[in-house]
Amino acid sequence: MVQIVEQVLRAQPYQAGKPIGELAREIGMPEADIVKLASNENPLGMSPVAREQANAALLDAAYYPDANGFELKAALAQRFAVPQDWLTLGNGSNDILELLASTFLGPGTSAVFSQYAFIVYAQATLRVGAQSIVVPAREYGHDLDAMLAAIRDDTSMVFIANPNNPTGTYLSAAQLEAFIARVPSSVVVVLDEAYNEYLPPELRVDSVAWVRQYPNVVITRTFSKAYGLAGLRVGYAIASAETTEYMNRIRQPFNVSNVAQAAAIGALQDDAFRQKTYETNLQGLAQLSAGLDALGIEHVPSHGNFVLAKFGAHAAQVNAFLLKHGIIVRPVGGYGLPEWLRISVGLEAQNTRLLNALKASALTR
Ligand SMILES: *Cc1c(COP(=O)(O)O)cnc(C)c1O
């Protein structure tokens, strides 16, 4: 008999949003008629500048990508005014989170994160044989005082998502800085800012300043959400040169494809697309929020490109109804939120279709 390692025996596969093609096959509906509001993707698609540069890069697909991502790192270094040796590229920021776990966690160590925080923190922690310390949420968000109190002698990492997925909750600069200042310098604080670009400018935290001031702070960002490149898989970390060097030792050399690197460079150049994305999301969030209010559906105020809405004991039934009508949202039972569904913000017509379907679903009960 083969032996399966203990961590794998205890692991659960990641529950991804249902692919459009899969639902199309299941219900016999054309793919074009299906609305996917399940994976916090950009409903505007990708930036045309990114697409152009990705297309050009495809001509070089016979070659290995630049293992050090020089051009993309140069663009990021300029944007954030940090040295290139503070940057790590990942196959999505999921890859970055795993690299961080592999660098700082292992058997005999623990990681602290919040209840309802992004599920990858638990998976990455388990995978490397470290212990998860899950701190009860406060109003669906991070309770930073409780997280600080939960840090033990064996704790080497704290994960914080700001804004958090799937709840959409937000922590202010003042709250975060007070927390970071009190965390022992031996504990790495991972600040996951996957939804940063969706925050209004006045709520965006200057987290890079914290990396300068506190070498134990690591920022993770992604091109999957506001930049509309989820399918190409590019994320990055901003961390001290020392941390970056350790992560680089265990990184797969070609973890970001040449097409993905080129697209990310193009996406960074396209300020107009990002602004349009931001505005579309703001309007869509307001539309969904007002629509849910009108239907009397409780939801958590969101700072991301999604809304967590409560359907109580009917959640699974509502989800099935939506699927039958060609709308994919995200069940979050895996997060311990079986009475809720996470709905990504779509284009106006998609949001309308979702809200109409929710209304119809309530009438059928
Ligand atoms: C989507 C998401 C990520 C990572 O996405 P990638 O596609 O792997 O970059 C990371 N953190 C949070 C909180 C997310 O929601």
Side-chain angles (χ1 to χ4, degrees):
M1 277 294 262
V2 295
Q3 283 280 335
I4 306 297
V5 298
E6 171 66 21
Q7 294 95 284
V8 177
L9 288 172
R10 289 166 49 209
Q12 294 292 330
Y14 181 83
Q15 301 284 339
K18 197 181 195 57
I20 289 176
E22 189 177 307
L23 182 62
R25 288 190 295 276
E26 283 173 9
I27 64 172
M29 187 182 273
E31 289 196 10
D33 293 345
I34 289 176
V35 173
K36 185 180 178 205
L37 303 175
S39 301
N40 303 344
E41 292 143 343
N42 190 330
L44 295 171
M46 75 194 285
S47 133
V49 180
R51 181 189 305 271
E52 203 172 294
Q53 304 203 13
N55 277 336
L58 205 50
L59 297 173
D60 295 326
Y63 299 97
Y64 279 101
D66 177 353
N68 290 314
F70 179 85
E71 301 278 353
L72 176 53
K73 282 192 196 168
L76 289 168
Q78 193 181 8
R79 165 154 307 226
F80 294 105
V82 296
Q84 285 205 36
D85 64 3
W86 281 28
L87 296 166
T88 304
L89 303 182
N91 187 30
S93 56
N94 200 319
D95 184 25
I96 296 286
L97 294 169
E98 292 194 359
L99 281 172
L100 285 164
S102 299
T103 304
F104 293 106
L105 295 172
T109 68
S110 64
V112 170
F113 50 87
S114 178
Q115 178 188 27
Y116 311 140
F118 189 44
I119 217 154
V120 167
Y121 309 153
Q123 291 183 335
T125 301
L126 171 65
R127 198 174 63 93
V128 296
Q131 221 189 323
S132 286
I133 301 174
V134 183
V135 177
R138 206 168 73 191
E139 289 168 32
Y140 303 101
H142 296 56
D143 182 342
L144 291 181
D145 289 333
M147 288 177 72
L148 192 70
I151 292 173
R152 306 189 303 220
D153 286 345
D154 71 354
T155 301
S156 5
M157 186 171 283
V158 178
F159 289 100
I160 293 176
N162 193 42
N164 182 47
N165 170 22
T167 59
T169 52
Y170 165 80
L171 296 160
S172 71
Q175 287 173 301
L176 274 173
E177 180 151 29
F179 175 80
I180 290 167
R182 288 160 70 202
V183 170
S185 60
S186 58
V187 177
V188 175
V189 179
V190 177
L191 201 51
D192 178 346
E193 299 186 321
Y195 300 95
N196 175 270
E197 297 83 1
Y198 284 114
L199 289 171
E202 68 275 12
L203 293 189
R204 280 180 214 162
V205 168
D206 183 9
S207 46
V208 177
W210 295 334
V211 181
R212 290 182 217 288
Q213 194 180 348
Y214 305 96
N216 57 322
V217 172
V218 176
I219 299 168
T220 68
R221 297 274 189 103
T222 181
F223 284 92
S224 297
K225 306 285 159 60
Y227 287 99
L229 300 179
L232 285 175
R233 317 299 306 126
V234 201
Y236 56 98
I238 305 174
S240 74
E242 197 185 1
T243 291
T244 304
E245 197 274 324
Y246 284 122
M247 286 167 73
N248 194 46
R249 294 184 191 188
I250 54 167
R251 182 178 61 83
Q252 275 191 45
F254 305 109
N255 60 338
V256 185
S257 77
N258 69 325
V259 176
Q261 290 184 35
I265 292 166
L268 279 175
Q269 292 164 350
D270 197 344
D271 290 333
F273 179 82
R274 235 187 23 265
Q275 186 60 25
K276 188 172 175 204
T277 293
Y278 170 75
E279 284 164 12
T280 303
N281 185 63
L282 217 56
Q283 289 158 9
L285 255 189
Q287 182 192 358
L288 281 180
S289 173
L292 291 170
D293 283 345
L295 294 170
I297 298 167
E298 182 185 344
H299 52 100
V300 181
S302 174
H303 293 83
N305 65 338
F306 55 87
V307 184
L308 185 69
K310 191 171 190 181
F311 297 91
H314 299 298
Q317 209 184 325
V318 172
N319 185 48
F321 183 93
L322 293 175
L323 286 171
K324 213 170 73 187
H325 291 81
I327 301 170
I328 311 172
V329 299
R330 186 67 173 279
V332 279
Y335 281 90
L337 294 163
E339 302 194 333
W340 301 71
L341 296 172
R342 193 193 65 195
I343 303 162
S344 302
V345 176
L347 301 175
E348 188 182 355
Q350 297 174 322
N351 300 331
T352 300
R353 196 165 136 198
L354 178 273
L355 291 168
N356 287 342
L358 286 179
K359 198 170 174 179
S361 141
L363 294 175
T364 61
R365 276 202 299 276

